[in-house]
DNA sequence: TAGATTGTTAATCGATTAACAATC
DNA sequence: TAGATTGTTAATCGATTAACAATC
């Protein structure tokens, strides 16, 4: 209790640390200093030490950080030491692509169900899942202990569906719909607004070109 | 010339402004004050005015901002007043999903080609595109005036392919591969690291739960 | 003109970087 | 012990917010 709030800036960097440490571990590297890691990741050593120290002292003076230990600890911090149950709402191109992508499962994110409101898709098999009608949603969520709902539906439907899911007790959304959800503060939303990302790239492409 | 550098924090917010203004425009709203927009978007009016004023005075004292004008101007700033030619590298689940998604085109992002190294996919039709072998890449890029390469290939291949594309003159990458590209400063990279995004959600889900 | 609201300067806040004492 | 490198405090930098004069 009384944990100091960690800034989202720090949180956003953790998955990247985790990735680099995983790669180092796989390469058999045993220890690394903040200095060496900073060179590898193109960030300052100071930032690395500050970031890690938000969660306690993982290193040792004169030695650095033990790669495997640090990797494990950051994994725990990120909640990767236990599995998460997910459902996908919307079995269109994107929903299917995510369902078929195996790497999420490797990190403990397990897709338990996929739903669509299009009857033509009912029963369609996608990897180990079968597309279900939206009518089943409510019951399924309570029965299967779902943590995260992945929204792959058009923005017109997303807000209402999210409202419904909140009523079913869903506590987190991975939102690919191009709209801002309006959910209670206790519910987490991680937006993936692909077109915003592409538009940002467009800006930077222009800006970079013209300045030269 | 001598444009002051705009911070990425500001740039990241522009697509969202653009989206809200587009919606207001579609609803027939003619003008809006920073105050009203701030309520709508859950940001401060001060930030809105600061952000817009990075690019010049789009408003009018006592009146506010003309929605249509502001929408158009931000569109220009973002480079949405002209089309961009894209290619997709990797015709797997994600590559195909992106190729099939129509909304990018509505914003002027046109997919001109899709490539894969798997012969089984050669010739496969995806919307108006046909999967081509990677061998065609070099020639295609120069012939079709490609602006942006969308990387939907495994991380093991991504770095090398990006290097090749840089040599062909590609100036921007939309990178879905879970790896950091190593390209010259003059080349823009926008990363979409889906698993990082999901992991961040996992952290926040945990943090939120435990603090209560 | 009076009222509203911008554009912009100044104040605050938070995040990053630098420095160094603690310590392995 | 001497050298290395962390953990942590202090300094700097940048981004956000507040305030208000300019002006429509």
């Amino acid at each position: 209790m009384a944990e100091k709030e960690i800034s989202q800036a720090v949180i956003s960097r953790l998955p990247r640390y985790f990735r680099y440490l995983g790669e180092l571990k796989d390469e058999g590297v045993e220890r690394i200093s903040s200095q060496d890691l900073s060179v590898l990741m193109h960030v300052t050593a100071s930032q690395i030490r500050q970031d890690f120290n938000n969660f306690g002292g993982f290193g040792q003076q004169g030695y650095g950080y033990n790669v495997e230990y640090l990797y494990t600890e950051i994994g725990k911090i990120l909640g990767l030491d236990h599995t998460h149950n997910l459902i996908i709402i919307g079995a269109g191109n994107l929903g299917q692509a995510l369902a078929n992508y195996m790497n999420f499962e490797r990190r403990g994110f397990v897709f338990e169900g996929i739903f669509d409101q299009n009857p033509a898709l009912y029963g369609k098999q996608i990897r180990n899942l079968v597309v279900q009608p939206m009518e089943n949603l409510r019951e399924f969520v309570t029965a299967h202990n779902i943590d995260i709902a992945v929204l792959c539906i058009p923005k017109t439907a997303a807000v209402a569906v999210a409202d419904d899911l909140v009523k079913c007790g869903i506590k987190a959304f991975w939102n690919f719909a191009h709209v801002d959800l309006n959910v209670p503060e206790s519910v987490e939303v991680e937006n993936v607004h692909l077109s915003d990302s592409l538009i940002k790239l467009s800006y930077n492409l222009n800006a970079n070109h013209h300045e030269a």
Side-chain angles (χ1 to χ4, degrees), chain A:
Chain A
M1 53 196 131
E3 293 167 24
K4 58 180 171 304
E5 188 76 31
I6 312 287
S7 83
Q8 288 297 309
V10 175
I11 310 303
S12 299
R13 286 192 291 265
L14 290 183
R16 188 156 177 267
Y17 291 131
F18 188 71
R19 173 155 52 92
Y20 273 84
L21 288 165
E23 282 166 12
L24 287 168
K25 184 171 76 81
D26 291 345
E27 288 165 17
V29 177
E30 232 175 61
R31 69 192 186 93
I32 193 158
S33 68
S34 57
Q35 172 58 29
D36 289 353
L37 191 55
S38 81
V39 171
L40 206 60
M41 295 184 65
H42 301 287
V43 297
T44 64
S46 205
Q47 181 166 76
I48 291 174
R49 293 204 299 278
Q50 289 278 21
D51 283 351
F52 292 168
N53 270 86
N54 280 299
F55 305 96
F58 297 131
Q60 200 163 76
Q61 284 97 331
Y63 171 86
Y65 298 89
N66 178 285
V67 171
E68 182 141 17
Y69 173 67
L70 185 57
Y71 174 81
T72 308
E73 289 304 309
I74 293 183
K76 283 187 206 163
I77 290 165
L78 292 170
L80 301 179
D81 54 342
H82 59 269
T83 60
H84 293 89
N85 297 331
L86 288 76
I87 49 170
I88 298 175
I89 318 293
N93 294 307
L94 184 60
Q96 292 195 29
L98 293 174
N100 275 312
Y101 190 62
M102 322 274 289
N103 281 348
F104 299 130
E105 217 159 283
R106 278 194 23 242
R107 290 274 170 256
F109 297 97
V110 183
F111 295 118
E112 297 283 348
I114 183 165
F115 297 82
D116 205 289
Q117 48 91 273
N118 178 4
L121 290 170
Y122 297 169
K124 177 168 182 184
Q125 178 124 11
I126 299 162
R127 208 151 67 99
N128 56 338
L129 303 176
V130 170
V131 178
Q132 299 181 57
M134 293 292 278
E135 285 72 35
N136 294 8
L137 198 49
R138 195 171 262 276
E139 197 193 332
F140 190 93
V141 167
T142 27
H144 288 76
N145 195 24
I146 301 302
D147 304 297
I148 300 172
V150 186
L151 298 183
C152 301
I153 50 182
K155 61 178 172 182
T156 42
V159 176
V161 170
D163 287 349
D164 277 358
L165 285 166
V166 167
K167 283 188 202 123
C168 300
I170 285 280
K171 284 276 172 283
F173 289 96
W174 200 23
N175 178 37
F176 288 79
H178 200 211
V179 68
D180 296 316
L181 304 181
N182 192 8
V183 296
E185 270 215 22
S186 63
V187 176
E188 288 300 325
V189 178
E190 172 78 16
N191 289 308
V192 181
H193 290 332
L194 292 180
S195 54
D196 287 11
S197 167
L198 186 50
I199 288 172
K200 182 162 173 260
L201 182 57
S202 164
Y203 172 89
N204 283 322
L205 181 57
N206 274 310
N208 215 333
H209 246 255
H210 291 175
E211 105 198 3

